[in-house]
Each structure stands twice: as C-alpha cells, then as structure tokens.
Amino acid sequence: MPSALLDAIQQRFSCREFVSGRPVTADELTLLREAGRLAPSAFGLEPWRFVTVTDEPQRAAVARACYDQPAAATAAAFIAIVALGAALDPDSDYVRARFESEARGGDTAPIYAAYRAHYRPETIAAWAQGQCNFAAAHMLLQAAHLGLGACPIGGFDAEALAATLALPPGETPTLLIALGHCGYAAPERLRKPLD
C-alpha cells in the first residue's frame, strides 16, 4: 500500500524556531496556498482567504501581534487564514457565485435549501472559522512534504493582527501558519496508540 501521504503526516511537527536568513520561496508559498485552496469546505463555500506575509517590517508586526512567541519571531513567512464571515449571508453575491460553481451548471435550489436551514447569523462566523481549519491542515501537510518547517499559531491579539493584515470588517484572522526552515531536528512523535 502506498504511504507517501502518511510519510508526510508522520514528518509534520510544529517547529518553534526557524533558521534566520533562509526564505520560503515564492513557488513554495504558491504550492502552500494551492493546498489550502483545494481543501474541502461545507456547501463548497470556501469561506476563507489567505494572506501571505514575507517582508520584514510586516513579519515583525505579525510577530508582535502573536506576543513575540519564538515561532512567530523567527518565521521567514506567514500565511494567515482569514474567515469570510460577513460574506456568508445566503443572499450575498459571494454565496451566489459559490453555489453556482458548486452546482456545476445544475440547479442551485437544493444547495440553497440546505444552506438556509443551516445558516444562523449569530453562529456563522464561528462556523466559518472552523471551516478554515481544513485549509490549514492541507497547508501544514504540504509544508511537511516540501521539507519546510511550519507552526500553526492560534495565540494572537486578533485586533492587532487584523490591523497588521489590513483586513476589512467582517473578515477574521482564524489561524496563522509560521513558515521557514526549522532550526532543529524533528523531535520524536508522541501520540496515543491507535487503539
């Protein structure tokens, strides 16, 4: 049985300190965003946007928003996964376009009916943030496959990070992936037994 994907999963770990002066290439960042783009999402809504940060002044501002934790302070690049909560109203242009795509030229009515039964304005932003984790998982595995170090960061000042990323109202930073070349060897994996 082929195990290439499982090998990448086994190799993935959260790097907490990256090597200085070793950038993540534009091609690598493109592959990471593509991995996120291909992630599954309920109703085909893809309720996310990816913001890439590579320049030093903005990286420093992102690190400050992340309380200068080592993974953020030493990262060569970041991909912020941003939830599109405000775009998810059932009558929005965004939802209409996504459902037309999801229907593949067919009838959108069943998708709309299911979504309207699910949609609650007071919980949709949290739901969208949860959906963003699928994209993050794909990106983290792609980083491991490329031999890059990566660390998902959920501890940040959301307002400061949103300001640094110049996010419009209705978009929420959900997760940040710090990227670079890890400054140390992968530790032994410690996981509960499969059973």
Side-chain angles (χ1 to χ4, degrees):
M1 173 175 10
S3 63
L5 178 57
L6 195 57
D7 290 345
I9 293 169
Q10 181 66 29
Q11 293 167 15
R12 197 219 64 77
F13 71 100
S14 293
C15 178
R16 309 279 185 212
E17 187 172 347
F18 299 98
V19 175
S20 177
R22 288 196 61 195
V24 178
T25 69
D27 288 343
E28 290 168 329
L29 290 167
T30 297
L31 287 171
L32 292 166
R33 288 189 303 267
E34 178 66 0
R37 185 184 74 84
L38 294 173
S41 67
F43 304 102
L45 280 173
E46 302 171 49
W48 51 63
R49 183 166 75 88
F50 310 132
V51 179
T52 304
V53 177
T54 56
D55 69 274
E56 197 285 323
Q58 194 175 21
R59 285 194 338 257
V62 168
R64 282 190 301 278
C66 295
Y67 312 111
D68 287 314
Q69 53 189 288
T74 61
F78 295 98
I79 296 178
I81 303 174
V82 178
L84 304 178
L88 299 178
D89 181 277
D91 297 314
S92 73
D93 290 340
Y94 181 83
V95 169
R96 187 173 302 108
R98 297 306 319 134
F99 286 176
E100 287 173 5
S101 176
E102 185 71 6
R104 295 169 175 82
D107 185 9
T108 60
I111 303 169
Y112 268 108
Y115 185 61
R116 286 184 193 285
H118 164 77
Y119 180 82
R120 301 287 178 277
E122 64 277 6
T123 60
I124 199 68
W127 175 83
Q129 289 176 352
Q131 292 286 302
C132 289
N133 292 319
F134 300 139
H138 274 218
M139 289 182 187
L140 291 167
L141 292 177
Q142 182 65 49
H145 181 71
L146 292 172
L148 291 171
C151 184
I153 299 175
F156 49 77
D157 177 327
E159 287 185 21
L161 184 57
T164 297
L165 299 175
L167 300 182
E171 293 189 9
T172 307
T174 296
L175 193 68
L176 198 63
I177 300 177
L179 297 158
H181 297 271
C182 200
Y184 55 90
E188 176 187 356
R189 288 297 291 265
L190 301 174
R191 290 291 184 264
K192 296 184 291 185
L194 186 59
D195 60 349

